[in-house]
Amino acid sequence: MNGRVAGLGWTHNEELVVVLNNGRVRWYYNFEGDFDEYSIGQNANVIGVRTWKLERRGIVVLLQDNRIVRLTRSGRSALVRDMKDRGEFHSWCIIESDIYVSMETEVYKVTSRDCVRCSVDGPFEIMCASSDGRLIALWSLDKGLAIVTSTFDRVIMTWNCPRPRDMMWCGSDAVALQYEETLKIVAPGGELEFFYDGYVAQGEPDSLTILTTTSIDILAKVGNATVDCFKIGSRAKAAILMDAVDKLTRHSPKANENLQIIGDGLLQAINDSLDAALEEFDPYWQKKLLKAASFGKAELEMRNGESDVAIRFVKVCDELRILNLIRDRGIGLFLTYSTFKKLGVTRVVELLVKRQKFAEAFQISKFLKLPLDAVFVSWACCKIKYSTSGDEELSQALLGRFQQLSGGKYISFARVAEVAFQEGRLNLAKVLINFESLFEKQIPLLLTMEENELALQKSIESQNIDLILETILILKSTLSYPQFFKLLNSSKPSSNVFEYFYRTNSQIIHDFYNQADRPIDLANYELSTSNFSPASVKTAITTYNTRNTAITSQLDKQSKLMNHQEELTTEFNVDFTNLSLSETILKLLTLSQQTRALQLVKEFKFPERKLGYLKLEHFVITQRFDELYQWAINEEPSIGLEPIVERCIKADEKRLALRLLQRGKLSYEQKTSLLLQLKEWKQVIEEAVKKRDGALIEHVAEVSGGAVEAEVNEARSRIGASSRFF
């Protein structure tokens, strides 16, 4: 560690913070020496650190030039306020995110937005805030100790005392003043003095922890329930209940008299006994209080039957079992009940795991039916780090414990396998990673282990396109192109995903096909991207010929067509490029180049029926409807008359369509369908009467909108009369 230590401190998460004078800060996040190191910034390495304080989300540092800098746990540094022009610095304290600074004779409330003057009664050499943030204790050379509200609008008390070595709050109830051999506790009710031969005190949210050379003492305000139970001469219901238990153990008949005295206050007496038991550290007094509560509970149940107090009694017993377990000197978590409730059982288990007290963590988790995965993972990681067993023996031990604890539930092995890899146990890591069922956690570790082929295979097994693509992109960024393309080429699904994602990047796709020795795909890609340019077609033909593929003949035809199109473009000064064979023939017909069109038809063996459709389109485009009529009637086109009539209708040539209907040979269904398209209702009715098609007549009545109502009625009568005749 380079640089002189400016200070040490513990965060609420039991992380050790070390601030160095050179502007560096270390966060030790476990008890194994692992840490994160950050820079305070703001030229702190040159200016130096004057003092610093912990806050909920990080630390606040005061530099030697009176600039205040905030550093978060993630390492983000920001200047809060420059206090250079405010005079000499004396002391400061923090309440949540607000910073109170004593400069000269004034106290300022500093935030990232503003700097507000709160008091002018300074200077104050020492400042500290209560744990709830409502009060601030101030010590000055002239006035001694003063306790004021955090808004500085009311003085709670003053106390004349010499300057202490340090000053802190005992919860939010009293102020502790540290001297060389004495510790004074000052509150509005008076002063208490304790004597210690060398000690260190630390303020807690609800108490004061005192560390001496021989013991750890916890000094806290005695709760009301405890006072009621143990105060000399107490007439509280809980005290009478405890006395009743004492008399019962002596077989005194006065125990029943005590219950009668308690009367309806029995429930309150039970709850007070339970509250007092939770505040006690000594198991002897805990048992005594629980015995009183149990006696009262039995009496209450005899009076009123089952009650909720039985549930609370069991809960208190469970909590005391946990508190007594963690308060053992081998563990050292000397928590008060209020701190225990504030942290929660889950956080307590995390603190045990941090101390590598896995047996106790397992015991509490199983006792309260909490998830065991975090405890198991931490235990397995420590087992790997410090075990001298071989990989096979260690894997059997880990998997055996896993099968005992999991109960069929999911427990992540990703962290365990990662630790095995970091410790150089590669074979063990490969075994453990197979027990990770989530691909999202399994694949990143495989990539870290450089098991690239297995990682790609697992991503495909996940059937998650996003995960496959993410894996491919990571591999692309870490491997050389030959290695990457070789890996892709071994997996068809992954290569498909890669080709689709990079479909617009011609250079990468070209390199991929080239490296993968896929000339056919390369030729196809170049054809599609170049719109079948002559050069790409020739290249593709050469490629296909070497591979003897069936598509070669098609490309030969395309090449011949492109040659013809170049000649036609030059000859007629009209652009024929990038046209299909059908479009080329149609364009020649529209240019009245029937001979050249027929040459293409003959050369490319163009189907006669398709040619008929092209001729039809040619007549319509050029509006040669007389020639169309002659062609349709005299030459009997291979496409038949129906599509010709439909095209005329589409071109709004209804007269020509009727002429073709009258001259052409069409079936009844074809003719009536075309007449309906032309809305020639009368002719449809005539055709229907001839065939006695009543359904068609009704259809005409429906779609004509009443335009031919008389004709429809006459047709109905004619069909009806004809039916009676037969």
Side-chain angles (χ1 to χ4, degrees):
M1 184 182 296
N2 297 323
R4 191 167 59 87
V5 175
L8 305 172
W10 291 94
T11 69
H12 65 284
N13 290 327
E14 287 197 340
E15 295 181 336
L16 176 63
V17 181
V18 181
V19 181
L20 305 177
N21 265 341
N22 61 7
R24 308 295 296 180
V25 177
R26 285 189 178 183
W27 248 281
Y28 289 85
Y29 51 83
N30 59 27
F31 298 152
E32 300 173 33
D34 299 325
F35 61 88
D36 296 322
E37 184 169 333
Y38 307 112
S39 171
I40 297 173
Q42 305 295 327
N43 290 326
N45 58 327
V46 177
I47 299 168
V49 175
R50 180 191 294 270
T51 184
W52 68 285
K53 284 187 179 293
L54 285 164
E55 62 174 357
R56 187 72 180 175
R57 298 179 181 177
I59 63 171
V60 179
V61 181
L62 180 68
L63 303 181
Q64 292 289 356
D65 60 356
N66 287 350
R67 283 188 299 161
I68 300 174
V69 182
R70 176 171 276 123
L71 181 68
T72 65
R73 176 62 183 86
S74 59
R76 181 178 298 175
S77 174
L79 178 65
V80 179
R81 183 69 55 181
D82 189 345
M83 304 293 288
K84 293 177 184 177
D85 58 345
R86 304 290 180 173
E88 182 184 358
F89 168 82
H90 293 282
S91 61
W92 65 336
C93 65
I94 297 176
I95 300 178
E96 295 182 351
S97 60
D98 297 333
I99 305 168
Y100 293 81
V101 187
S102 174
M103 308 287 291
E104 293 290 349
T105 61
E106 301 172 333
V107 176
Y108 296 94
K109 178 182 177 182
V110 179
T111 67
S112 58
R113 296 182 299 274
D114 53 22
C115 180
V116 180
R117 185 170 60 186
C118 300
S119 171
V120 294
D121 297 329
F124 299 106
E125 302 299 325
I126 309 175
M127 297 175 64
C128 61
S130 61
S131 59
D132 60 8
R134 294 188 299 174
L135 301 175
I136 297 178
L138 310 165
W139 188 91
S140 64
L141 188 61
D142 298 335
K143 302 176 183 178
L145 174 65
I147 299 176
V148 300
T149 60
S150 58
T151 55
F152 285 82
D153 57 357
R154 186 162 66 94
V155 178
I156 305 299
M157 66 163 289
T158 59
W159 190 272
N160 191 17
C161 61
R163 174 170 183 150
R165 184 178 65 186
D166 198 0
M167 183 173 71
M168 62 200 62
W169 280 85
C170 179
S172 298
D173 304 299
V175 177
L177 302 174
Q178 292 188 45
Y179 296 95
E180 288 300 325
E181 295 182 353
T182 60
L183 176 68
K184 290 185 179 181
I185 305 298
V186 180
E191 173 188 351
L192 290 174
E193 189 170 12
F194 299 89
F195 293 91
Y196 291 99
D197 184 12
Y199 71 95
V200 176
Q202 174 65 45
E204 305 291 348
D206 61 346
S207 60
L208 186 71
T209 301
I210 304 167
L211 176 64
T212 71
T213 56
T214 58
S215 66
I216 296 177
D217 297 339
I218 294 179
L219 185 64
K221 180 182 178 182
V222 179
N224 294 330
T226 304
V227 172
D228 290 342
C229 289
F230 294 108
K231 185 178 179 180
I232 297 175
S234 173
R235 302 301 299 167
K237 305 294 184 182
I240 297 172
L241 181 61
M242 289 186 66
D243 184 56
V245 174
D246 289 338
K247 290 177 179 178
L248 184 66
T249 56
R250 297 195 302 268
H251 305 287
S252 171
K254 291 186 178 182
N256 192 48
E257 293 179 10
N258 280 15
L259 291 176
Q260 291 177 358
I261 294 172
I262 295 173
D264 294 337
L266 183 58
L267 179 60
Q268 182 63 43
I270 296 170
N271 285 324
D272 286 347
S273 299
L274 294 174
D275 290 339
L278 290 169
E279 292 178 357
E280 286 293 335
F281 273 67
D282 192 337
Y284 171 80
W285 293 110
Q286 291 174 0
K287 292 176 182 178
K288 199 171 183 67
L289 290 162
L290 288 175
K291 191 174 182 180
S294 178
F295 175 62
K297 178 176 71 70
E299 175 66 21
L300 188 65
E301 288 174 350
M302 288 179 61
R303 294 181 187 178
N304 305 328
E306 294 290 335
S307 65
D308 293 338
V309 73
I311 299 174
R312 190 184 178 221
F313 181 83
V314 174
K315 183 179 179 181
V316 169
C317 291
D318 292 343
E319 290 175 333
L320 285 174
R321 286 182 63 184
I322 296 171
L323 283 169
N324 290 336
L325 177 65
I326 65 177
R327 286 170 180 168
D328 183 83
R329 64 182 60 187
I331 297 176
L333 279 173
F334 302 107
L335 303 180
T336 62
Y337 177 69
S338 61
T339 303
F340 170 74
K341 292 300 289 184
K342 184 178 181 180
L343 290 175
V345 180
T346 303
R347 179 61 185 148
V348 169
V349 172
E350 291 175 0
L351 294 176
L352 289 172
V353 169
K354 200 168 188 178
R355 288 165 169 75
Q356 298 184 10
K357 299 296 180 180
F358 300 110
E360 292 79 3
F362 275 121
Q363 187 178 347
I364 293 174
S365 298
K366 290 185 70 175
F367 178 61
L368 297 179
K369 298 179 180 179
L370 298 175
L372 295 170
D373 50 346
V375 182
F376 169 76
V377 169
S378 298
W379 169 81
C381 292
C382 283
K383 188 80 171 174
I384 293 170
K385 286 181 180 179
Y386 303 114
S387 176
T388 57
S389 304
D391 289 351
E392 184 176 353
E393 182 182 350
L394 190 55
S395 66
Q396 290 177 356
L398 296 177
L399 297 176
R401 181 57 63 91
F402 165 71
Q403 291 169 356
Q404 292 176 5
L405 299 177
S406 64
K409 297 181 180 178
Y410 166 74
I411 294 180
S412 175
F413 267 82
R415 175 61 183 157
V416 183
E418 183 181 2
V419 170
F421 175 70
Q422 292 172 351
E423 294 295 317
R425 294 178 177 263
L426 185 59
N427 293 330
L428 179 61
K430 289 180 180 179
V431 172
L432 295 177
I433 197 62
N434 288 326
F435 288 88
E436 175 56 61
S437 57
L438 294 180
F439 292 107
E440 292 81 358
K441 294 184 178 181
Q442 190 180 38
I443 292 171
L445 182 56
L446 288 171
L447 292 171
T448 303
M449 295 166 58
E450 296 185 357
E451 293 291 333
N452 300 324
E453 188 173 354
L454 185 56
L456 192 59
Q457 178 185 338
K458 292 291 184 181
S459 69
I460 295 168
E461 290 176 7
S462 72
Q463 298 183 357
N464 185 333
I465 297 298
D466 292 337
L467 188 56
I468 296 172
L469 182 58
E470 182 182 1
T471 306
I472 289 172
L473 294 177
I474 292 174
L475 289 172
K476 178 178 175 292
S477 63
T478 55
L479 298 177
S480 64
Y481 267 18
Q483 292 174 323
F484 174 62
F485 290 146
K486 182 180 179 181
L487 186 61
L488 272 187
N489 206 33
S490 64
S491 172
K492 184 63 176 175
S494 58
S495 64
N496 289 342
V497 173
F498 174 80
E499 290 174 43
Y500 180 78
F501 183 75
Y502 282 104
R503 62 191 183 278
T504 58
N505 192 325
S506 59
Q507 185 60 48
I508 289 182
I509 294 295
H510 181 277
D511 292 344
F512 172 57
Y513 288 149
N514 195 35
Q515 289 278 353
D517 192 24
R518 291 166 57 178
I520 302 300
D521 293 329
L522 180 60
N524 289 338
Y525 183 76
E526 290 183 346
L527 282 173
S528 61
T529 54
S530 64
N531 292 323
F532 289 85
S533 66
S536 65
V537 171
K538 290 177 181 178
T539 303
I541 290 174
T542 304
T543 302
Y544 289 128
N545 283 331
T546 60
R547 301 289 171 166
N548 296 320
T549 58
I551 201 171
T552 306
S553 60
Q554 296 294 330
L555 284 175
D556 285 335
K557 290 182 180 180
Q558 180 66 27
S559 180
K560 290 179 182 178
L561 176 61
M562 294 172 69
N563 291 333
H564 282 296
Q565 288 174 342
E566 289 181 6
E567 294 175 2
L568 294 171
T569 300
T570 304
E571 182 177 351
F572 297 107
N573 199 24
V574 176
D575 188 13
F576 280 84
T577 56
N578 296 327
L579 296 181
S580 65
L581 179 59
S582 297
E583 291 170 339
T584 304
I585 294 173
L586 178 59
K587 197 158 193 174
L588 287 170
L589 292 174
T590 56
L591 292 174
S592 300
Q593 298 296 325
Q594 284 80 6
T595 304
R596 297 298 295 273
L598 292 174
Q599 287 177 357
L600 292 179
V601 169
K602 184 177 180 180
E603 181 177 350
F604 289 95
K605 298 180 181 179
F606 195 74
E608 184 66 28
R609 186 172 179 81
K610 286 186 178 181
L611 181 60
Y613 279 104
L614 290 180
K615 286 183 177 180
L616 171 61
E617 193 66 24
H618 153 62
F619 287 131
V620 173
I621 292 174
T622 56
Q623 296 187 353
R624 299 177 181 179
F625 295 110
D626 291 337
E627 295 181 25
L628 171 60
Y629 177 78
Q630 296 298 327
W631 173 67
I633 297 302
N634 299 330
E635 297 187 18
E636 296 184 0
S638 58
I639 61 175
L641 189 61
E642 185 178 11
I644 299 175
V645 176
E646 288 180 342
R647 188 65 182 90
C648 290
I649 295 172
K650 188 177 179 181
D652 201 25
E653 288 292 328
K654 294 183 178 180
R655 293 180 60 187
L656 178 58
L658 283 173
R659 289 175 60 195
L660 291 171
L661 282 174
Q662 293 169 0
R663 294 289 304 274
K665 297 178 181 180
L666 295 170
S667 65
Y668 167 73
E669 290 77 8
Q670 292 175 329
K671 189 171 184 179
T672 54
S673 175
L674 294 170
L675 287 171
L676 284 171
Q677 292 182 44
L678 289 165
K679 297 183 180 181
E680 293 292 333
W681 314 122
K682 293 181 180 180
Q683 292 190 39
V684 175
I685 292 172
E686 289 177 4
E687 295 294 332
V689 170
K690 292 178 183 178
K691 294 289 185 179
R692 296 194 305 176
D693 190 349
L696 181 57
I697 292 174
E698 295 303 325
H699 178 68
V700 172
E702 182 179 347
V703 299
S704 64
V708 288
E709 185 176 358
E711 288 80 356
V712 168
N713 291 333
E714 182 182 352
R716 286 171 180 165
S717 62
R718 288 172 62 185
I719 291 177
S722 176
S723 298
R724 287 193 298 272
F725 177 78
F726 286 104

